Coordinates of all heavy atoms in Angstrom, one line a residue:
Y1 N 0.8 -1.2 0.0 CA 0.0 0.0 0.0 C 0.9 1.3 0.0 O 0.3 2.4 0.0 CB -0.9 0.1 1.2 CG -1.9 -1.2 1.3 CD1 -1.8 -2.1 2.3 CD2 -2.8 -1.4 0.3 CE1 -2.6 -3.2 2.3 CE2 -3.6 -2.4 0.3 CZ -3.6 -3.3 1.3 OH -4.5 -4.4 1.2
N2 N 2.3 1.1 0.0 CA 3.1 2.2 0.1 C 2.9 3.1 1.3 O 2.9 4.4 1.2 CB 3.0 3.1 -1.2 CG 4.2 3.8 -1.6 OD1 5.3 3.5 -1.1 ND2 4.1 4.9 -2.3
V3 N 2.7 2.5 2.5 CA 2.4 3.1 3.7 C 3.3 2.6 4.8 O 3.6 1.4 4.9 CB 0.9 2.8 4.1 CG1 0.6 3.3 5.5 CG2 0.0 3.5 3.1
V4 N 3.7 3.5 5.7 CA 4.6 3.2 6.9 C 3.9 3.9 8.1 O 3.4 5.0 8.1 CB 6.1 3.8 6.7 CG1 6.8 3.5 7.9 CG2 6.7 3.1 5.6
G5 N 3.8 3.0 9.2 CA 3.3 3.6 10.4 C 4.3 3.7 11.5 O 5.2 2.9 11.6
M6 N 4.4 4.8 12.3 CA 5.4 5.0 13.3 C 4.7 5.3 14.6 O 3.5 5.7 14.7 CB 6.2 6.3 12.9 CG 6.9 6.1 11.6 SD 8.1 7.5 11.3 CE 9.3 7.2 12.4
M7 N 5.4 4.9 15.7 CA 4.9 5.1 17.0 C 6.0 5.4 18.0 O 7.2 5.2 17.7 CB 4.2 3.9 17.5 CG 5.1 2.7 17.7 SD 4.2 1.1 18.0 CE 3.7 1.3 19.6
S8 N 5.6 6.2 19.1 CA 6.6 6.3 20.2 C 6.2 5.5 21.3 O 5.1 5.3 21.7 CB 6.6 7.8 20.7 OG 5.4 8.0 21.4
G9 N 7.2 4.7 21.7 CA 7.0 3.8 22.8 C 6.1 2.6 22.4 O 6.1 2.2 21.3
E10 N 5.2 2.2 23.3 CA 4.3 1.1 23.1 C 2.9 1.7 22.9 O 2.5 2.7 23.5 CB 4.3 0.1 24.3 CG 5.6 -0.5 24.6 CD 6.1 -1.4 23.5 OE1 5.3 -2.0 22.8 OE2 7.3 -1.3 23.2
G11 N 2.1 0.9 22.2 CA 0.7 1.4 22.0 C 0.4 1.8 20.6 O 0.6 1.0 19.7
N12 N -0.3 3.0 20.5 CA -0.9 3.4 19.3 C 0.1 3.8 18.2 O 1.1 4.6 18.4 CB -1.8 4.5 19.6 CG -2.6 5.0 18.4 OD1 -3.1 4.1 17.6 ND2 -2.9 6.3 18.3
T13 N -0.1 3.3 17.0 CA 0.7 3.8 15.8 C 0.1 5.0 15.4 O -1.0 5.1 14.8 CB 0.7 2.7 14.7 OG1 1.1 1.6 15.2 CG2 1.5 3.2 13.5
D14 N 0.7 6.2 15.7 CA 0.0 7.5 15.7 C 0.4 8.4 14.5 O -0.1 9.4 14.3 CB 0.0 8.3 17.0 CG 1.4 8.4 17.6 OD1 2.4 8.1 16.9 OD2 1.5 8.9 18.8
L15 N 1.5 8.0 13.8 CA 2.0 8.8 12.6 C 2.1 7.8 11.4 O 2.8 6.8 11.6 CB 3.2 9.5 12.9 CG 3.9 10.2 11.7 CD1 3.0 11.4 11.3 CD2 5.3 10.7 12.0
W16 N 1.4 8.1 10.4 CA 1.3 7.3 9.2 C 2.0 8.0 8.0 O 1.6 9.3 7.9 CB -0.1 6.8 8.9 CG -0.6 5.9 9.8 CD1 -1.3 6.1 11.0 CD2 -0.4 4.4 9.8 NE1 -1.6 4.9 11.6 CE2 -1.0 3.9 10.9 CE3 0.3 3.5 8.9 CZ2 -1.0 2.5 11.2 CZ3 0.2 2.2 9.2 CH2 -0.4 1.7 10.3
L17 N 2.8 7.5 7.3 CA 3.3 8.1 6.1 C 2.7 7.4 4.8 O 3.0 6.2 4.6 CB 4.8 8.0 6.1 CG 5.6 8.5 7.4 CD1 7.1 8.2 7.3 CD2 5.4 10.0 7.5
D18 N 2.0 8.2 4.1 CA 1.3 7.6 3.0 C 1.9 8.1 1.7 O 1.9 9.2 1.3 CB -0.2 8.0 3.0 CG -1.0 7.4 1.8 OD1 -0.4 7.0 0.8 OD2 -2.3 7.5 2.0
G19 N 2.7 7.1 1.0 CA 3.4 7.5 -0.2 C 2.6 7.4 -1.5 O 3.2 7.3 -2.6
N20 N 1.4 7.6 -1.5 CA 0.6 7.4 -2.6 C 0.2 8.7 -3.3 O -0.8 8.9 -3.9 CB -0.8 6.6 -2.3 CG -0.5 5.2 -1.9 OD1 0.2 4.5 -2.8 ND2 -0.8 4.8 -0.8
G21 N 1.0 9.7 -3.0 CA 0.8 11.0 -3.6 C 0.2 12.1 -2.7 O -0.4 11.8 -1.7
C22 N 0.6 13.3 -3.1 CA 0.2 14.4 -2.2 C -1.1 15.1 -2.6 O -1.5 16.0 -2.0 CB 1.3 15.5 -2.3 SG 2.8 14.9 -1.6
K23 N -1.8 14.4 -3.6 CA -3.1 15.0 -4.0 C -4.3 14.6 -3.2 O -5.4 15.2 -3.2 CB -3.4 14.7 -5.5 CG -2.4 15.3 -6.4 CD -2.7 15.1 -7.9 CE -1.6 15.8 -8.7 NZ -1.8 15.5 -10.1
Q24 N -4.0 13.5 -2.4 CA -5.1 13.1 -1.5 C -5.2 14.0 -0.2 O -4.2 14.6 0.2 CB -4.8 11.6 -0.9 CG -4.7 10.6 -2.1 CD -4.3 9.3 -1.7 OE1 -4.0 9.1 -0.6 NE2 -4.4 8.4 -2.6
P25 N -6.4 14.0 0.4 CA -6.5 14.9 1.6 C -5.7 14.3 2.8 O -5.4 13.2 2.9 CB -8.0 14.9 1.9 CG -8.5 13.7 1.2 CD -7.6 13.4 0.1
T26 N -5.3 15.3 3.7 CA -4.7 14.8 4.9 C -5.7 14.2 5.8 O -6.8 14.5 5.9 CB -4.0 16.0 5.6 OG1 -3.0 16.6 4.8 CG2 -3.5 15.7 7.0
H27 N -5.3 13.1 6.6 CA -6.2 12.4 7.5 C -5.8 12.6 8.9 O -4.6 12.4 9.3 CB -6.1 10.9 7.1 CG -6.8 10.0 8.1 ND1 -8.1 9.8 8.0 CD2 -6.4 9.3 9.2 CE1 -8.5 8.9 9.0 NE2 -7.4 8.6 9.7
V28 N -6.7 13.1 9.7 CA -6.5 13.3 11.2 C -7.7 12.6 11.9 O -8.8 12.8 11.5 CB -6.5 14.8 11.6 CG1 -6.2 14.9 13.1 CG2 -5.4 15.5 10.8
A29 N -7.3 11.8 12.8 CA -8.3 11.0 13.6 C -8.2 11.5 15.1 O -7.2 11.6 15.6 CB -8.2 9.6 13.5
F30 N -9.4 11.8 15.7 CA -9.5 12.1 17.1 C -10.0 10.9 17.9 O -10.8 10.2 17.5 CB -10.5 13.3 17.3 CG -10.0 14.6 16.6 CD1 -10.4 14.8 15.4 CD2 -9.2 15.5 17.2 CE1 -10.1 16.0 14.7 CE2 -8.8 16.6 16.6 CZ -9.2 16.9 15.4
G31 N -9.4 10.7 19.1 CA -9.8 9.6 19.9 C -10.9 10.0 20.8 O -10.8 11.1 21.4
A32 N -11.9 9.2 21.0 CA -13.0 9.5 21.9 C -13.1 8.3 22.9 O -12.7 7.2 22.6 CB -14.3 9.5 21.1
Q33 N -13.4 8.7 24.1 CA -13.5 7.7 25.1 C -14.9 6.9 25.1 O -15.0 5.8 25.7 CB -13.4 8.3 26.5 CG -12.0 9.0 26.6 CD -12.0 9.7 28.0 OE1 -12.8 9.8 28.8 NE2 -10.7 10.2 28.2
N34 N -15.9 7.6 24.4 CA -17.2 6.9 24.4 C -18.1 7.5 23.3 O -17.7 8.5 22.7 CB -17.9 6.9 25.8 CG -18.0 8.3 26.3 OD1 -18.4 9.3 25.5 ND2 -17.5 8.5 27.5
E35 N -19.3 6.9 23.1 CA -20.1 7.4 22.1 C -20.7 8.8 22.4 O -20.9 9.6 21.4 CB -21.3 6.4 21.9 CG -22.3 6.8 20.8 CD -21.9 6.8 19.3 OE1 -20.9 6.0 19.2 OE2 -22.4 7.5 18.5
E36 N -20.8 9.1 23.6 CA -21.4 10.4 24.0 C -20.4 11.5 23.5 O -20.8 12.6 23.1 CB -21.5 10.5 25.5 CG -22.7 9.7 26.0 CD -22.5 8.2 26.0 OE1 -21.3 7.7 26.3 OE2 -23.4 7.4 25.9
Q37 N -19.1 11.2 23.6 CA -18.1 12.3 23.2 C -18.2 12.4 21.7 O -18.1 13.5 21.2 CB -16.7 11.8 23.5 CG -16.3 12.1 25.0 CD -14.8 11.8 25.2 OE1 -14.3 11.0 24.7 NE2 -14.3 12.6 26.2
V38 N -18.4 11.3 21.0 CA -18.5 11.4 19.5 C -19.7 12.3 19.2 O -19.6 13.1 18.3 CB -18.7 10.0 18.8 CG1 -18.9 10.0 17.4 CG2 -17.4 9.2 19.1
Q39 N -20.9 12.0 19.8 CA -22.0 12.7 19.5 C -21.9 14.2 19.9 O -22.3 15.1 19.1 CB -23.2 12.1 20.2 CG -23.6 10.7 19.7 CD -23.9 10.7 18.2 OE1 -24.5 11.6 17.6 NE2 -23.4 9.6 17.5
A40 N -21.2 14.5 21.0 CA -21.0 15.9 21.3 C -20.1 16.6 20.4 O -20.4 17.8 20.1 CB -20.5 16.0 22.8
F41 N -19.1 15.9 19.9 CA -18.1 16.5 18.9 C -18.9 16.8 17.7 O -18.8 17.8 17.2 CB -17.0 15.5 18.7 CG -16.2 15.9 17.4 CD1 -15.3 16.9 17.5 CD2 -16.4 15.2 16.3 CE1 -14.6 17.2 16.4 CE2 -15.7 15.5 15.1 CZ -14.8 16.6 15.2
H42 N -19.8 15.9 17.2 CA -20.6 16.0 16.0 C -21.5 17.3 16.1 O -21.5 18.1 15.2 CB -21.3 14.8 15.7 CG -22.0 14.8 14.4 ND1 -23.4 14.9 14.3 CD2 -21.6 14.9 13.1 CE1 -23.7 15.0 13.0 NE2 -22.7 14.9 12.3
K43 N -22.1 17.3 17.2 CA -23.0 18.5 17.5 C -22.3 19.8 17.5 O -22.8 20.8 16.8 CB -23.9 18.3 18.8 CG -24.8 19.4 19.0 CD -25.6 19.2 20.4 CE -26.4 20.3 20.6 NZ -26.9 20.4 21.9
A44 N -21.3 19.8 18.1 CA -20.4 21.1 18.2 C -19.8 21.4 16.9 O -19.9 22.6 16.6 CB -19.3 21.0 19.3
A45 N -19.5 20.5 16.1 CA -18.9 20.8 14.8 C -19.9 21.4 13.9 O -19.7 22.3 13.2 CB -18.3 19.5 14.3
L46 N -21.2 20.7 13.9 CA -22.3 21.2 13.1 C -22.6 22.6 13.5 O -22.9 23.5 12.7 CB -23.5 20.3 13.1 CG -23.3 19.0 12.6 CD1 -24.6 18.2 12.8 CD2 -23.1 19.1 11.0
E47 N -22.6 22.9 14.8 CA -22.9 24.3 15.3 C -21.9 25.3 14.9 O -22.2 26.5 14.7 CB -23.2 24.3 16.9 CG -24.4 23.6 17.2 CD -24.5 23.4 18.7 OE1 -23.7 23.8 19.5 OE2 -25.6 22.8 19.1

């Protein structure tokens, strides 16, 4: 897939290098602790 994942220490691979061209959009993911946070984020973003 021409992709490399990097991490610091143990746990989440939090930096991905995607070598499939710079014309694709940047991808950022936010971590949520539960569904309520997801819904609150969605509502705040829409507002």
Side-chain angles (χ1 to χ4, degrees):
Y1 300 114
N2 205 23
V3 171
V4 172
M6 301 184 72
M7 65 189 288
S8 73
E10 300 298 322
N12 188 33
T13 304
D14 53 9
L15 176 63
W16 291 91
L17 306 172
D18 182 345
N20 292 303
C22 297
K23 294 183 180 182
Q24 298 173 356
T26 297
H27 172 84
V28 179
F30 296 92
Q33 295 177 0
N34 52 50
E35 180 66 22
E36 290 75 29
Q37 281 186 330
V38 173
Q39 295 303 323
F41 167 80
H42 184 252
K43 180 181 179 197
L46 290 175
E47 289 173 357

